[in-house]
Amino acid sequence: MEFTYEAYSQLLEQISACEYQFVNYHNWEQFERCVILRHDIDYDPIKAVKIAEIEKNKGISSTYFVLVTSDFYNIYSGKNDTYFQALKNYGHEIGLHFDETRYWGLRNDLDALKSKILYEAKRLEEVMQCPITTVSMHRPSEFILKADLKIPGLINSYGKEYLYDFKYLSDSRKIWREPVRDLIESRKYTRLHILTHAFWYSERREDICSSIRKFIDRATIDRWNLLKDNITNLTDLISKEEFE
C-alpha cells in the first residue's frame, strides 16, 4: 500500500466494501464485524487534520491521540488548538497519547505512571473542552505492554483485548508489517484494530527519507514565520528566501 492520501481513501473504501463497521473503543462490542481506526499524532497536527478530513468526507469517525509532552508541538498554542479543534469538529474522538519515557524515574512504578496518565488526560481535557476517555502509549516498553494497565475512566488502546481479540495492524516507520489490504480483502478476521500515522502520508508517493526531510525543511520556515511575528523588521535582519 502506498502512503498517499488517495491510497488511504481507497483503504477506507475497501474496509467498507468488505462489510466491516467503523466503530470506536466504546461501542465495538455491539458489532460482529468491525474495525477501530486509531491515529497517533507523534509529530504533525497539520497532517492529522488532512487524514481526518478524508474520513469525515466518507462519514467515518476515528480516534486521534494527542501527545501532551511532545517536543514537536505545544497543545496550548493557539495555532495548534485550531488543528485539534478541527479534529473534534469533524466528529472524531480525541484521546491521550502517553510517553512513559517522560517519567523515566517512574518506569517500574505502575501506580505512579497511572497518576501521570490521569494528570495528562486532565490537562488535555482542559484544552480540548471535551471528555478524554481513551489513552494510547507512545512507543510502549515491554513492561507497559505486559502490565495491561487498567486506568480509572480511561480505555487503554494497548489493553489485551485490543491486541489479542482484534487483529492489530500498524504502519509504524512507514512500513506495514503485514499486507493490510490483503488481510482486509480476505475477511479472515472479524475485528480489526488499525493504527496509522498521518505523518507518513502525502499527496504523492515519497520514500521515508523524503518525508522526514520535508518535515524538517518546513519546520525552518515555520520558525521564521513565528519569529517574524515577534521580532520587529525581521526581514531586514534575515530574509525568508534564505531558507526556501
Side-chain angles (χ1 to χ4, degrees):
M1 174 181 164
E2 294 183 354
F3 285 81
T4 64
Y5 297 129
E6 178 60 28
Y8 184 71
S9 179
Q10 291 172 358
L11 176 69
L12 298 178
E13 292 169 4
Q14 182 185 23
I15 292 170
S16 182
C18 290
E19 301 180 320
Y20 287 93
Q21 296 291 322
F22 293 95
V23 299
N24 56 44
Y25 293 97
H26 309 282
N27 66 0
W28 62 269
E29 291 179 302
Q30 302 171 30
F31 303 88
E32 286 189 21
R33 178 175 291 274
C34 60
V35 56
I36 295 175
L37 296 179
R38 162 187 155 202
H39 310 278
D40 292 348
I41 309 178
D42 293 341
Y43 313 116
D44 193 350
I46 297 174
K47 284 200 168 185
V49 172
K50 178 62 178 178
I51 291 292
E53 185 176 19
I54 292 170
E55 293 171 337
K56 175 188 75 80
N57 290 338
K58 294 184 179 297
I60 295 168
S61 176
S62 62
T63 304
Y64 286 79
F65 289 98
V66 177
L67 187 59
V68 169
T69 56
S70 172
D71 288 324
F72 292 96
Y73 58 83
N74 176 4
I75 66 167
Y76 293 99
S77 159
K79 181 177 69 173
N80 287 326
D81 187 55
T82 63
Y83 304 139
F84 299 135
Q85 294 300 330
L87 300 176
K88 186 174 73 172
N89 293 337
Y90 285 165
H92 302 300
E93 180 181 3
I94 303 298
L96 171 68
H97 200 28
F98 182 78
D99 183 2
E100 64 185 280
T101 64
R102 166 64 178 80
Y103 309 100
W104 196 243
L106 306 175
R107 62 188 180 278
N108 295 318
D109 187 335
L110 289 178
D111 288 336
L113 286 174
K114 287 181 186 180
S115 294
K116 293 301 182 182
I117 290 170
L118 290 169
Y119 171 80
E120 289 190 12
K122 187 65 176 178
R123 302 289 79 75
L124 187 57
E125 276 190 346
E126 292 170 353
V127 171
M128 293 302 307
Q129 293 294 294
C130 69
I132 301 299
T133 57
T134 52
V135 59
S136 75
M137 304 303 166
H138 180 60
R139 301 178 68 183
S141 65
E142 185 176 356
F143 172 74
I144 287 293
L145 290 176
K146 287 184 176 180
D148 188 28
L149 283 179
K150 307 295 184 185
I151 306 134
L154 291 173
I155 294 172
N156 177 11
S157 70
Y158 280 104
K160 287 184 178 178
E161 61 265 52
Y162 301 111
L163 290 179
Y164 302 112
D165 294 346
F166 284 71
K167 177 59 179 177
Y168 181 66
L169 300 163
S170 172
D171 67 354
S172 296
R173 199 175 167 82
K174 208 169 186 177
I175 299 171
W176 289 100
R177 286 161 180 78
E178 297 183 72
V180 59
R181 299 200 62 167
D182 290 346
L183 284 172
I184 292 168
E185 193 64 35
S186 74
R187 308 187 189 204
K188 177 180 178 180
Y189 301 96
T190 57
R191 290 172 175 163
L192 303 176
H193 184 196
I194 300 178
L195 166 61
T196 56
H197 297 80
F199 180 74
W200 298 125
Y201 294 79
S202 55
E203 292 290 348
R204 297 178 181 82
R205 183 179 179 180
E206 55 190 32
D207 61 29
I208 187 172
C209 292
S210 296
S211 297
I212 294 171
R213 191 172 290 112
K214 284 184 178 181
F215 180 64
I216 293 172
D217 290 344
R218 198 187 81 208
T220 302
I221 299 301
D222 288 345
R223 286 200 168 189
W224 190 93
N225 288 330
L226 287 171
L227 286 172
K228 184 175 182 294
D229 293 336
N230 289 275
I231 297 178
T232 302
N233 298 326
L234 177 64
T235 53
D236 294 338
L237 302 173
I238 189 166
S239 70
K240 188 175 183 178
E241 287 72 22
E242 293 184 43
F243 307 103
E244 294 179 329

